[in-house]
Amino acid sequence: MTIAQSLPLVESHVNPEIIFPQGQFWSDEPPLESNLHLQQIILLIQCLEWWWREREDYFATGNLTIYYSPNQKKSEFFRGPDFFVVLGTNPNPNRRSWVIWREEGKYPNLIIEILSDSTAKVDREEKKQIYQDIFRTPDYFWFDPESLEFQGFTLISGQYQPIAPNPQGWLWSQQLGLYLGLSANKLRYFTPEGELVPTPAEAAQQAENRAVEAENRVLEAENQVEQEKQKAAKLAAKLRELGIDTEENL
């Protein structure tokens, strides 16, 4: 969410009287605009973590400061995307921020900004330019949880080009190998086959439903066998009434 100084694109507004420690680089992000924004970011993180639960080569987080000063200073050139993913790194959950020069120079492979009245213009213009020209982030999306505005861009020859939606209105992310699209007014992931990537809670519920369905199928099969036995017993009794010994005919 940070609206901060960037490379030549943004003028510095740092108070020279403030002394920034050069040891720990803490995230410096303001509170989120609303519960909608918070829930959306949590949803993106939880679903991706579940989908990639066997992977150990990425870092996904939200509302965390990225420090990218070429002078390796905390006091200049930092941004705080609402959600970002870095590939080819470790998933260390104890990072207090993402410091480019301490992370092998890696920038995010994907960024998603959650629009609000106070940040939408910056997200659509200034941040888009920074992510294109400085971060060189391959996939950039933005989503407004209130108006449901949703757009995505992919980096082609150094320029962001709009991602064309599929028939469902979803946008493909080459970096994730997943679609991004709306479901129940939330931004969600979809597999290449069109399946909704569930949250851990949804996945657990689905597993429970499958277990219940399997149990019901077993009970139904047992009931069917019992019904067949009862039919056979009734038939045998009827034949005996007619003087036919079914055991002798076997």
Side-chain angles (χ1 to χ4, degrees), residues 128-174:
K128 181 185 175 187
Q129 198 74 30
I130 291 172
Y131 298 157
Q132 171 186 280
D133 297 339
I134 300 173
F135 284 25
R136 315 294 290 169
T137 293
D139 288 347
Y140 175 46
F141 300 86
W142 66 59
F143 172 63
D144 189 322
E146 295 184 353
S147 70
L148 306 185
E149 175 188 343
F150 175 48
Q151 293 192 44
F153 305 86
T154 189
L155 199 64
I156 299 176
S157 300
Q159 299 292 318
Y160 274 143
Q161 301 297 329
I163 300 173
N166 71 357
Q168 289 80 23
W170 307 338
L171 305 182
W172 177 251
S173 168
Q174 186 65 39

Side-chain angles (χ1 to χ4, degrees), residues 221-232:
E222 291 176 348
N223 290 336
Q224 185 68 28
V225 170
E226 184 61 29
Q227 290 174 8
E228 294 298 325
K229 287 182 179 179
Q230 292 176 4
K231 288 181 181 178

Side-chain angles (χ1 to χ4, degrees), residues 46-206:
Q46 286 185 336
C47 290
L48 190 65
E49 287 182 343
W50 185 89
W51 186 246
W52 283 354
R53 58 195 178 279
E54 298 181 359
R55 292 182 57 168
E56 295 290 333
D57 62 346
Y58 77 98
F59 178 66
T61 190
N63 205 39
L64 195 76
T65 302
I66 297 174
Y67 294 98
Y68 61 101
S69 165
N71 301 311
Q72 300 188 4
K73 293 181 178 180
K74 179 182 178 181
S75 58
E76 61 180 10
F77 310 136
F78 53 94
R79 286 283 161 174
D82 290 323
F83 173 79
F84 67 89
V85 179
V86 183
L87 302 177
T89 189
N90 68 76
N92 179 10
N94 297 320
R95 288 182 175 95
R96 298 183 175 94
S97 60
W98 184 267
V99 184
I100 296 299
W101 58 93
R102 294 184 179 177
E103 300 287 355
E104 302 179 352
K106 292 182 182 295
Y107 283 87
N109 292 75
L110 172 141
I111 290 175
I112 300 175
E113 294 288 4
I114 311 301
L115 302 184
S116 66
D117 291 341
S118 63
T119 66
K121 187 176 188 299
V122 173
D123 292 336
R124 295 190 188 104
E125 299 175 4
E126 185 179 307
K127 280 191 174 182
K128 181 185 175 187
Q129 198 74 30
I130 291 172
Y131 298 157
Q132 171 186 280
D133 297 339
I134 300 173
F135 284 25
R136 315 294 290 169
T137 293
D139 288 347
Y140 175 46
F141 300 86
W142 66 59
F143 172 63
D144 189 322
E146 295 184 353
S147 70
L148 306 185
E149 175 188 343
F150 175 48
Q151 293 192 44
F153 305 86
T154 189
L155 199 64
I156 299 176
S157 300
Q159 299 292 318
Y160 274 143
Q161 301 297 329
I163 300 173
N166 71 357
Q168 289 80 23
W170 307 338
L171 305 182
W172 177 251
S173 168
Q174 186 65 39
Q175 297 301 303
L176 300 183
L178 296 168
Y179 285 103
L180 283 158
L182 302 187
S183 175
N185 293 339
K186 299 292 185 183
L187 187 61
R188 301 290 297 267
Y189 306 109
F190 297 86
T191 69
E193 295 75 30
E195 297 295 325
L196 178 69
V197 174
T199 65
E202 290 169 344
Q205 185 62 55
Q206 290 171 3

